[in-house]
């Protein structure tokens, strides 16, 4: 978990992300237009990976998304790649179980992940002298299908309870993952599953590490409620293009924008 702490400033600079390719190191993410108290390192699980060159819906140009591996520690790349391969197997198993729970064949979702754009993130939250004035990650919902989250024993993740809007601590359990349903499963399942709102609070004494695996389908996919689940019922979402949706979101995550963050609720069909 401590890998991110092993990067020297020099390595961090060499593997820093830029506005075009979102993979690598950065420490200026904004969630909901507020800067998070954290540094991250992201890599894409399957290469080659492609994504839209811009968030303009008419721009069909694609760019290759490449990983930026630091030279030191030298074994980092191999360890990360092995972790990603194994976690992806678990993600497929979980998707299979979700599919069965919706009354669908176990492999119903597999095709969507053939050119997956899943990624892994190392989160490092340094101790914060004013923990009540900042957040490690501001409140948000994960935009992918599923998130498989590993965390250390420090704690800080909170989920919003729907019934009363209270933030509830997720106690770290040794050797256990936290599984978050993301927006895509919410849309596919026509709201049978709901993605969970969460945030990370800080700690004035201890740093914290977490590693989410974001299980994401192909960028060209149009996400919409599955036909089998909307028989006799109105689909609750209009189809949205995943790559363009993420490109728009990424733009607003990188810096403070004057616009409201894009959410799947923008594609909700009014009742
Ligand atoms: O660090 C955590 O526990 C959660 C991080 C998170 O929500 C995210 O990276 O999307
Ligand atoms: Fe999250």
């Amino acid at each position: 978990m401590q890998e991110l702490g092993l990067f020297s400033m020099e390595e961090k600079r060499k593997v820093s992300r830029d506005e075009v390719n979102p993979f690598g190191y950065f420490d200026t993410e904004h969630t909901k237009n507020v800067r998070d108290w954290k540094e991250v390192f992201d890599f894409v699980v399957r290469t080659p990976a492609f994504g839209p060159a811009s968030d303009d819906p008419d721009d069909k140009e694609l760019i290759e998304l490449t990983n930026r591996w630091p030279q030191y520690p030298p074994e980092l790349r191999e360890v990360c790649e092995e972790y990603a391969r194994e976690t992806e197997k678990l993600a497929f198993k979980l998707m299979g179980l979700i599919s069965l729970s919706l009354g669908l064949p176990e492999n119903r979702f597999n095709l969507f992940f053939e050119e997956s754009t899943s990624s892994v993130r190392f989160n490092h939250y340094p101790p914060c002298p004013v923990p009540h004035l900042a957040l490690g990650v501001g409140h948000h919902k994960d935009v992918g299908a599923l998130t498989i989250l590993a965390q250390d024993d420090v704690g800080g993740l909170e989920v919003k309870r729907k019934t009363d809007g209270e933030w509830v601590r997720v106690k770290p359990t040794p050797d256990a993952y936290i599984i978050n349903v993301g927006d895509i499963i919410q849309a596919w399942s026509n709201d049978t599953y709901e993605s969970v709102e969460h945030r990370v609070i800080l700690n004035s004494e201890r740093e914290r590490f977490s590693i989410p695996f974001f299980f994401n389908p192909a960028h060209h996919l149009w996400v919409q409620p599955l036909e089998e689940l909307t028989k006799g019922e109105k689909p609750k979402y209009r189809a949205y293009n995943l790559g363009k949706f993420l490109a728009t979101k990424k733009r607003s995550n990188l810096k403070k924008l004057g616009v409201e963050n894009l959410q799947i609720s923008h594609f909700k069909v009014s009742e």
Side-chain angles (χ1 to χ4, degrees):
M1 282 257 186
Q2 268 76 12
E3 278 77 4
L4 204 55
L6 297 176
F7 289 28
S8 65
M9 242 5 262
E10 166 101 11
E11 284 298 329
K12 285 174 182 170
R13 202 173 37 75
K14 277 197 244 159
V15 298
S16 281
R17 66 170 279 182
D18 55 41
E19 295 224 11
V20 182
N21 177 10
F23 293 101
Y25 171 87
F26 79 126
D27 65 358
T28 54
E29 184 157 70
H30 289 73
T31 303
K32 302 270 191 308
N33 278 338
V34 178
R35 184 164 167 182
D36 298 329
W37 189 279
K38 68 175 183 196
E39 55 177 354
V40 309
F41 175 74
D42 289 310
F43 64 95
V44 66
V45 171
R46 284 181 179 262
T47 52
F50 297 90
S54 75
D55 56 349
D56 173 358
D58 297 322
D59 179 5
K60 303 280 178 257
E61 193 189 332
L62 294 180
I63 49 160
E64 186 172 349
L65 306 170
T66 50
N67 286 329
R68 298 182 166 99
W69 295 107
Q71 248 176 315
Y72 298 99
E75 62 283 3
L76 184 78
R77 176 176 181 168
E78 207 182 306
V79 172
C80 286
E81 286 175 345
E82 187 183 348
Y83 180 76
R85 273 195 305 274
E86 293 305 314
T87 316
E88 188 181 49
K89 286 185 201 158
L90 175 62
F92 272 109
K93 273 193 196 142
L94 291 167
M95 274 318 299
L97 293 172
I98 288 173
S99 194
L100 291 171
S101 78
L102 291 166
L104 303 169
E106 192 172 357
N107 64 359
R108 175 63 176 90
F109 293 103
N110 288 13
L111 209 66
F112 298 150
F113 292 93
E114 262 177 17
E115 290 165 74
S116 68
T117 51
S118 302
S119 63
V120 174
R121 164 167 281 189
F122 288 89
N123 280 313
H124 175 219
Y125 307 96
C128 176
V130 284
H132 53 294
L133 293 182
L135 285 169
V137 186
H139 72 96
H140 68 284
K141 295 177 172 193
D142 292 345
V143 292
L146 270 183
T147 304
I148 298 176
L149 177 80
Q151 62 168 334
D152 62 17
D153 64 350
V154 175
L157 176 64
E158 296 187 331
V159 295
K160 196 171 195 171
R161 192 162 50 206
K162 223 185 136 189
T163 46
D164 57 5
E166 282 291 308
W167 287 105
V168 180
R169 286 296 276 274
V170 180
K171 247 181 61 193
T173 306
D175 300 326
Y177 283 125
I178 290 158
I179 313 294
N180 281 343
V181 164
D183 285 344
I184 294 177
I185 292 184
Q186 178 167 332
W188 277 342
S189 73
N190 208 32
D191 280 354
T192 300
Y193 279 94
E194 274 185 55
S195 63
V196 65
E197 181 115 37
H198 55 287
R199 66 179 188 180
V200 173
I201 61 163
L202 295 157
N203 183 308
S204 57
E205 270 113 57
R206 294 182 68 191
E207 61 182 348
R208 174 171 181 264
F209 293 90
S210 73
I211 309 177
F213 174 102
F214 299 110
F215 195 43
N216 286 343
H219 73 87
H220 49 73
L221 192 77
W222 284 82
V223 178
Q224 56 190 324
L226 295 186
E227 248 173 55
E228 306 94 298
L229 301 177
T230 53
K231 281 200 185 114
E233 221 191 292
K234 240 175 63 182
K236 294 193 168 129
Y237 297 90
R238 281 182 283 127
Y240 64 92
N241 180 272
L242 181 63
K244 291 292 176 189
F245 176 80
L246 294 179
T248 310
K249 262 197 109 71
K250 286 235 159 80
R251 205 163 62 87
S252 72
N253 283 355
L254 202 59
K255 52 177 168 257
K256 215 173 160 98
L257 292 177
V259 294
E260 196 198 343
N261 260 272
L262 185 61
Q263 309 289 328
I264 57 160
S265 53
H266 288 93
F267 302 102
K268 192 114 192 180
V269 177
S270 47
E271 302 285 323

